Amino acid sequence: MAASRGEFSSRIGFIMAAAGSAVGLGNIWGFPTQTASNGGAAFVLVYLVLAFCLAYPAFMAELLIGRYGQANAVTSLQKMSRTPFHKRFAFLVGFGGVVCAALILSFYGILAGWMISYATEPVLTLGSANSAAAWVVEQSMARNILFTALFMFLTVFVIRRGVEDGIEKWSKRLMPLLIVLLLVLIAYVFTLDGAAQGLNAYLNPDISRVLEPDLLISALGQAFFSLSLGTSVMVIYGSYISKNENLVSLGAQVTLIDVSIAFLAGLLIIPAMYVAQAQGVAIFAEDGSLISGSGLVFTVLPSLFDTMGSMGLFVAFFFFILMSVAALTSSISMLEGPVSYVVERHQIERKKATTMIGVIIFLMSLVIISNLGVMLDFVATLATEYGQPIIAMLCCVFVGWIWHRSEILKELQQGNETVEHGFFWKIWPWYTKFICPTAIAIVFIHSL
Ligand code: PHE
């Protein structure tokens, strides 16, 4: 069965794919933005602790569900269920995750489309196509539709090819490219005036802010979004891991890569903002906070690139390509959630299912585009602030309260025979049963 439904062919294939899903706009845009608006290094510190202490255990629960079930999220959760009630609950949680992934992709595709459009601007400028260059960076319905469609097309193109030829192959190509681009851009920004001041703002924690509820909530939300939790994505990626692999260390490696890239992105963005300030660009909003959100990516940074003359065209191009690549390795995982569900539960052929779901999600994007001001925020909040935490919490409840401890151990022992005697097994089951669901619930209720 494993062969017919596809499997990652190697350990590195899985690491690149799962890290590809995790590393996205959340890391390169969301994390530095949140850091900027939550007291700099204090946020980084809290984020690191929460990522390893709460997001990693929840991430392991999702990987484990998938590897045990060897199927899409709904089927995998149902395999762990023993009563009809559990089975219905399993359906709700699994299908909820699939819907959540589709919802996220419907707005993520629009943001990613903007990244591609901003990457084409320097190319058009170099080719002296000035009015086209102005058009691609101006908000318009036509521009949004065109670039969202282009991005969705790329996502569908990869997913139609399946696990090994699509997800694994492209993640293995794109992730190294992303890391190289990130490092080159950091090295360049560090040579500019103002970078040292930015570094200082990024790395000097204001310890008094560490326990602020708002900061904790933002950091946890960011960690969950970044590890793609509560969307069925890590369950399905877990189901493509071979039974010979050590899940505990694979999960830890992916978490480490995700956190490291977020940290590196901060090393690029925050110093770049201070470089922009040294060039006379305003980086503080009227209330004295650092400009964040779309203003940062689409106003502050492009103004900085403008001050760099023709060098700025190359920097802008590489920066927005970096963003587009990060978005693509994430969006393919979002599409894989619903596609694997439809392929396995409704026996629809993969290529057909991919195109069909790609079109449906694109239509959802069109609805958002038609009323961008209201819908973008609404869908993003619904999926990431409600859907993801609730479903991630229910996955932990499933593993902690419904699945048998002996079966969990049996699954973990595959590829890791001595797991029973290690630190992970002493802490994690207890953690997943009590701490993770409680902490997620507290943060969720607080955010309401
Ligand atoms: N983790 C991705 C990012 O940081 C986003 C994502 C969310 C991917 C949910 C898949 C599922 O951008």
Side-chain angles (χ1 to χ4, degrees):
M1 181 182 165
S4 69
R5 66 184 295 273
E7 188 174 280
F8 292 119
S9 71
S10 63
R11 151 171 263 261
I12 190 74
F14 165 75
I15 294 178
M16 288 294 122
S21 167
V23 174
L25 298 179
N27 299 57
I28 303 181
W29 180 358
F31 178 78
T33 296
Q34 298 259 22
T35 304
S37 47
N38 283 294
F43 181 83
V44 179
L45 209 66
V46 174
Y47 178 77
L48 291 180
V49 172
L50 292 183
F52 283 106
C53 296
L54 279 178
Y56 168 67
F59 174 45
M60 283 307 299
E62 295 195 10
L63 283 185
L64 204 64
I65 293 170
R67 209 201 33 186
Y68 170 77
Q70 295 286 299
N72 65 84
V74 173
T75 310
S76 290
L77 283 162
Q78 287 188 333
K79 277 190 187 161
M80 298 156 57
S81 310
R82 276 166 283 125
T83 66
F85 171 72
H86 290 168
K87 279 210 181 350
R88 277 200 294 278
F89 182 43
F91 180 82
L92 215 68
V93 177
F95 192 68
V98 168
V99 171
C100 195
L103 278 177
I104 295 180
L105 183 51
S106 71
F107 76 83
Y108 203 86
I110 302 172
L111 307 183
W114 292 344
M115 300 303 163
I116 302 185
S117 74
Y118 270 74
T120 59
E121 192 243 14
V123 179
L124 292 167
T125 305
L126 268 179
S128 301
N130 291 338
S131 56
W135 185 77
V136 293
V137 293
E138 222 163 72
Q139 255 317 339
S140 74
M141 179 101 103
R143 192 254 340 225
N144 291 341
I145 294 176
L146 178 69
F147 285 96
T148 305
L150 183 61
F151 183 77
M152 277 306 287
F153 172 80
L154 293 176
T155 307
V156 166
F157 171 85
V158 175
I159 290 301
R160 273 171 66 98
R161 264 142 240 263
V163 182
E164 221 186 302
D165 265 358
I167 301 174
E168 180 171 346
K169 190 156 127 195
W170 282 95
S171 302
K172 280 201 321 215
R173 286 178 181 167
L174 296 175
M175 284 304 284
L177 172 68
L178 178 140
I179 293 172
V180 171
L181 282 174
L182 190 56
L183 292 176
V184 169
L185 286 169
I186 292 173
Y188 178 65
V189 166
F190 272 26
T191 63
L192 304 174
D193 280 347
Q197 200 191 345
L199 201 60
N200 196 34
Y202 184 45
L203 297 180
N204 252 339
D206 174 359
I207 295 290
S208 65
R209 296 198 58 181
V210 158
L211 290 177
E212 273 179 17
D214 280 354
L215 189 147
L216 287 169
I217 290 168
S218 307
L220 191 65
Q222 176 62 31
F224 271 66
F225 182 73
S226 193
L227 275 175
S228 314
L229 301 180
T231 58
S232 81
V233 161
M234 289 305 178
V235 176
I236 191 71
Y237 274 20
S239 79
Y240 298 141
I241 306 177
S242 140
K243 293 273 187 187
N244 304 323
E245 295 292 352
N246 178 340
L247 223 50
V248 176
S249 77
L250 278 184
Q253 287 174 54
V254 171
T255 309
L256 201 63
I257 296 179
D258 182 46
V259 168
S260 310
I261 294 191
F263 183 76
L264 281 177
L267 277 184
L268 170 67
I269 305 281
I270 310 276
M273 289 184 82
Y274 283 82
V275 170
Q277 189 187 34
Q279 298 291 334
V281 177
I283 65 167
F284 291 98
E286 272 170 16
D287 63 0
S289 61
L290 272 174
I291 292 176
S292 52
S294 55
L296 165 62
V297 174
F298 301 118
T299 313
V300 175
L301 295 180
S303 312
L304 168 65
F305 303 144
D306 280 347
T307 64
M308 295 175 176
S310 52
M311 183 67 187
L313 290 178
F314 291 98
V315 179
F317 175 71
F318 287 124
F319 175 75
F320 286 109
I321 289 292
L322 166 76
M323 290 288 215
S324 310
V325 167
L328 185 59
T329 55
S330 295
S331 67
I332 57 179
S333 72
M334 293 170 205
L335 186 57
E336 181 63 15
V339 166
S340 61
Y341 173 80
V342 170
V343 167
E344 291 174 6
R345 305 272 301 191
H346 299 286
Q347 283 80 42
I348 298 178
E349 193 251 333
R350 172 177 268 272
K351 286 195 163 62
K352 204 163 137 199
T354 311
T355 309
M356 202 175 81
I357 294 177
V359 169
I360 294 174
I361 295 179
F362 176 63
L363 293 176
M364 286 159 55
S365 303
L366 287 185
V367 174
I368 299 177
I369 289 173
S370 69
N371 193 353
L372 209 55
V374 178
M375 291 292 282
L376 187 63
D377 237 26
F378 173 73
V379 178
T381 308
L382 182 69
T384 64
E385 286 177 28
Y386 292 83
Q388 279 193 284
I390 293 177
I391 291 161
M393 180 179 72
L394 294 178
C395 283
C396 291
V397 168
F398 233 97
V399 171
W401 296 88
I402 293 181
W403 210 5
H404 267 304
R405 217 179 129 86
S406 58
E407 291 204 43
I408 301 180
L409 181 60
K410 230 194 297 164
E411 184 55 45
L412 277 171
Q413 279 170 329
Q414 308 207 39
N416 186 1
E417 280 157 25
T418 56
V419 69
E420 196 180 352
H421 310 292
F423 176 70
F424 183 83
W425 183 248
K426 288 198 179 74
I427 302 281
W428 178 79
W430 176 80
Y431 226 85
T432 314
K433 192 165 183 158
F434 299 105
I435 307 281
C436 288
T438 316
I440 301 170
I442 291 176
V443 169
F444 178 65
I445 291 165
H446 234 296
S447 68
L448 297 183

